Structure formats: C-alpha cells, structure tokens
Amino acid sequence: MADDPEEGMLSWDESVFRDEHVFEIDYVPETFQHREGQMRNLTYALRPAVRGSRPLNVVVRGPPGTGKTTSIQKLFDEVGAQTSDVRTIRVNCQVNATRYSVFSRLFEGTFDYEPPSSGISFKKLFSQIAEKLVEDDRVLVVALDDVNYLFYENEASDTLYSLLRAHEEHPGAKIGVIVVSSDPSLDVIDELDSRVQSVFRPEDVYFPVYDQPEIVDILDERVRRGFHDGVIGRETLEYVAELTADSGDLRVGIDLLRRAGLNAEMRASRSVERQDVEESYEQSKYINLSRSLSGLTDTEQVLLEVIAHHDGEQAGEVYEAFREQTDLGYTRYSEIVNKLDQLGLIDAEYAEVDGRGRSRSLSLSYEKDAVLDRLE
C-alpha cells in the first residue's frame, strides 16, 4: 500500500548498498572519467616498457583527491594485463618514508616475500633487486606515491639517485620512476640534488581539482554501482557534489556518500536524504586530516598536540613545552615543525618579536577539537 508507513523502511537484513566497497578509498572504478588526457600521457611514458625498453620517467602533480593514485593503479593493471615482462610496484611513501623502506617494499614486490627484518645492508638489498630484474629480463616501473613524504625526511634525492643509476652498477637493469606529489608547494625538480637533476628528466603530468559538474559525473557513477536503485535522488547527489567541490578533494564526496548511506540505514530508511549528508559531513570533511595524522610518528603527534594546547605561541615557547615531554633537541624539533608545516597541519609564520628579532608563531590549520579528537 502506498500509505504503508513501513514501505520506506529497511528490514533488519536489508541494506541500501549494492556494493559498499565502491565507496572505499582504494576502490579502482571500471570507468575513470575526466582524466583521459592524463591517462594518455602516462600511457605514452610507459609504452617503451611494454616493448622491453626503459620507460620515460614522470612527475605526477596535483592536490589531494584529484585521481593521481587511481590513475597509477589503473595504468599498472592495464600493463599487467598486457605483459608479464613488466613489474609494476607502487610504494606508499607516507608509510615508507626512507630509502631503505622504499627498497624493502621493492624487494617484496620483486620476490613476492619480505626481506629479512635485520642483517641485510642497503647495498645487498639493492643488488638483489637489480640482479633479479636482469636475470628475468624484466622492466621495473616504480611509482613513488606521495613522494613529498620522502622530501620531508630528506630521503628523496638518495632514493631517486639509487633508482636512476641502477643500470650503471647493474648493466641490463631497466627501471622507470613515476614520482607522485600531492604537495602543491613542493617543486620536485628544484628540491632534488644536482646529481639527481642531471639524470632525472621527467615528463610532467598535472591533475587539477575537479570542477562541480565533473564531481557530479564521478559520484553519480559511484552511486549507480554502490547503491541500490532509487536510494539517493539527484538533488541530494548534487548537494554532496557541492560540499565536495568546496573541499577540493574528491575523497570527501566518496566518503560522504558512504557515511550518509550508513546513516540512512541507522534510520532504517531505504533512501539517503539531505539530513543524512549533513550529519555525515562533519566526519567526512576531515578525511585529509585523518590521513595526514595516520602517517605521523608518535613524536610528531606529541608535537602537534603540544601546538594545539599552545596555539599561536612563539616557536621557542612551544619548544619548551615539547622538550618537557620528549627531551629532544631543538634541531629535531625544528625539523618536525617544518614537516607539519609542509603537510598543511600547522601554519608556521615568521613575525617580528619585540627585542628578539624574527620568530615563528605556530598555529593549527584545523580546528583544535578536530585535531585532538583524531589524535586520541
């Protein structure tokens, strides 16, 4: 009956989702919209690898949530379907932020098992990877995703130098590098040592922020694959797209759809309404913050918490509070401040201080409660 109050309600074993995985961050869509030009440029750079030659190196740039990682994953899947003579390995540099950890991940991707946890030098680790490539006559394509984290730890030049010079120590080793940066303020080439700049002459592929009509198209595809028919109306979808465009990060919209769907289920509703979106947005809008915090060490998290409690104070005053908890010296403290600033978690601004010259004031880039809640 049309007026049955139970008609719009879910039973206990029903769901609004057709496939909830569609709304997870690591999902690779079958159709990848509004990035055709970037995919063409990446394919052009990797085409020599499929023919057994060293591919062109690439720098992929763009703000977070603009499709860079998805492009790499789709391209690597396509290369894998074409040939087994190319080994493609994506390294998450937020997790693997040193040269040794990057090459440990490459070892695992090359041999399909992890290297020994101790007792193996970098030189030996590197040699075994290169020798295996030569032995199997395979081309290796390495994607250093979120390479900005290697720069924050001053590991980028050494890592790239080892990869780009591999063929000199191991003739026949063919390695191409895709460097993926999500830090708009980072000039990858300028920040590299001159010894790396001389051999690293990459193609440049830029990923701009999606505009609102593009966001609607992309989210509509997710809705059709992830929700049952009729779960979310056009007006609600466009509201999600509007919030996503404001954030500049497509991942906000994808996460927002999932959370709104879960909220609808909590109401036992068969449809996602505007109120479900509004209630979910407070969580989804901080997805980039949560991601950045997850990559911090315990010490870096301690400093961020100290800054939260001393927001806007001078760097020297913040350091005194930080030292009480960690006993670390000022040099290491300054390095962590620079990293948090580069990640966009804090603003470290220089200002004139009476009688003390120029000093940095440190303040959070996000609301204090949002940071502290996610550090717990």
Side-chain angles (χ1 to χ4, degrees):
M1 293 175 57
D3 58 353
D4 186 347
E6 298 296 320
E7 184 175 322
M9 306 298 286
L10 290 171
S11 62
W12 68 272
D13 60 345
E14 289 183 302
S15 173
V16 297
F17 295 103
R18 190 196 309 273
D19 181 0
E20 193 171 345
H21 177 54
V22 166
F23 302 107
E24 293 176 2
I25 299 302
D26 62 351
Y27 174 77
V28 179
E30 291 182 32
T31 56
F32 189 42
Q33 303 178 74
H34 304 297
R35 287 296 180 252
E36 293 81 5
Q38 288 83 355
M39 289 296 291
R40 275 196 305 272
N41 291 337
L42 288 169
T43 301
Y44 169 80
L46 262 63
R47 193 177 299 278
V50 179
R51 298 194 293 262
S53 301
R54 187 180 297 113
L56 303 177
N57 299 313
V58 185
V59 169
V60 173
R61 300 178 298 114
T66 51
K68 300 182 299 299
T69 297
T70 301
S71 294
I72 300 299
Q73 290 174 325
K74 283 194 73 68
L75 187 63
F76 281 7
D77 287 346
E78 290 173 10
V79 170
Q82 290 260 342
T83 177
S84 60
D85 294 332
V86 179
R87 174 77 74 169
T88 57
I89 303 174
R90 173 182 161 265
V91 181
N92 180 353
C93 296
Q94 184 178 9
V95 177
N96 302 283
T98 66
R99 180 177 68 162
Y100 192 91
S101 62
V102 167
F103 275 82
S104 294
R105 175 70 186 88
L106 297 181
F107 183 99
E108 183 182 354
T110 301
F111 291 94
D112 296 321
Y113 59 84
E114 294 182 3
S117 57
S118 62
I120 180 170
S121 67
F122 170 78
K123 185 177 178 63
K124 186 174 182 181
L125 190 71
F126 176 36
S127 294
Q128 290 183 358
I129 295 168
E131 289 166 5
K132 179 65 172 173
L133 292 174
V134 174
E135 177 187 331
D136 294 346
D137 194 23
R138 271 185 167 177
V139 180
L140 173 62
V141 181
V142 179
L144 298 176
D145 204 357
D146 277 330
V147 74
N148 32 299
Y149 284 87
L150 289 181
F151 282 94
Y152 303 155
E153 301 297 336
N154 295 316
E155 295 274 350
S157 288
D158 286 345
T159 303
L160 279 169
Y161 186 80
S162 297
L163 289 168
L164 297 169
R165 294 286 191 178
H167 64 281
E168 295 180 359
E169 291 187 40
H170 302 275
K174 290 171 281 193
I175 300 176
V177 183
I178 301 174
V179 167
V180 185
S181 173
S182 295
D183 183 346
S185 67
L186 175 68
D187 189 317
V188 170
I189 305 301
D190 283 355
E191 293 297 324
L192 291 170
D193 291 351
S194 58
R195 64 196 171 109
V196 182
Q197 291 179 355
S198 65
V199 292
F200 186 49
R201 301 181 182 277
E203 302 292 303
D204 185 77
V205 181
Y206 182 67
F207 285 68
V209 173
Y210 293 108
D211 63 28
Q212 190 162 334
E214 290 172 339
I215 291 170
V216 171
D217 288 345
I218 295 166
L219 295 184
D220 185 50
E221 175 75 13
R222 297 283 177 123
V223 164
R224 285 188 282 111
R225 292 185 181 276
F227 285 126
H228 290 299
D229 294 343
V231 166
I232 184 166
R234 186 71 180 187
E235 187 175 326
T236 305
L237 174 62
E238 290 184 350
Y239 179 53
V240 173
E242 179 184 331
L243 295 174
T244 305
D246 288 344
S247 74
D249 189 336
L250 183 67
R251 294 172 303 186
V252 169
I254 294 169
D255 186 71
L256 186 52
L257 287 172
R258 179 171 180 263
R259 290 181 185 274
L262 293 172
N263 274 0
E265 289 190 337
M266 287 292 291
R267 297 189 297 107
S269 172
R270 295 181 186 275
S271 61
V272 173
E273 306 296 341
R274 187 184 178 100
Q275 73 181 73
D276 298 310
V277 175
E278 291 171 344
E279 291 170 5
S280 304
Y281 184 59
E282 279 304 306
Q283 290 295 319
S284 294
K285 73 178 181 179
Y286 290 119
I287 190 169
N288 202 36
L289 170 62
S290 299
R291 183 171 177 270
S292 295
L293 294 181
S294 69
L296 298 181
T297 65
D298 291 344
T299 303
E300 291 162 352
Q301 291 193 19
V302 168
L303 177 54
L304 191 61
E305 185 174 356
V306 169
I307 293 172
H309 292 298
H310 296 79
D311 198 31
E313 294 185 12
Q314 299 302 310
E317 297 164 348
V318 175
Y319 172 63
E320 292 303 322
F322 176 66
R323 187 177 60 177
E324 287 179 10
Q325 297 192 41
T326 64
D327 290 327
L328 288 176
Y330 196 89
T331 300
R332 181 57 185 147
Y333 161 74
S334 184
E335 289 172 351
I336 299 174
V337 167
N338 290 337
K339 178 177 179 179
L340 297 179
D341 187 23
Q342 289 168 322
L343 284 172
L345 292 170
I346 67 170
D347 293 315
E349 296 184 352
Y350 280 96
E352 294 291 338
V353 179
D354 290 343
R356 294 166 54 186
R358 286 170 61 79
S359 176
R360 284 194 293 184
S361 64
L362 308 181
S363 56
L364 294 176
S365 301
Y366 294 88
E367 291 89 341
K368 176 181 176 180
D369 289 344
V371 172
L372 293 177
D373 288 348
R374 286 160 181 79
L375 283 174
E376 292 178 355

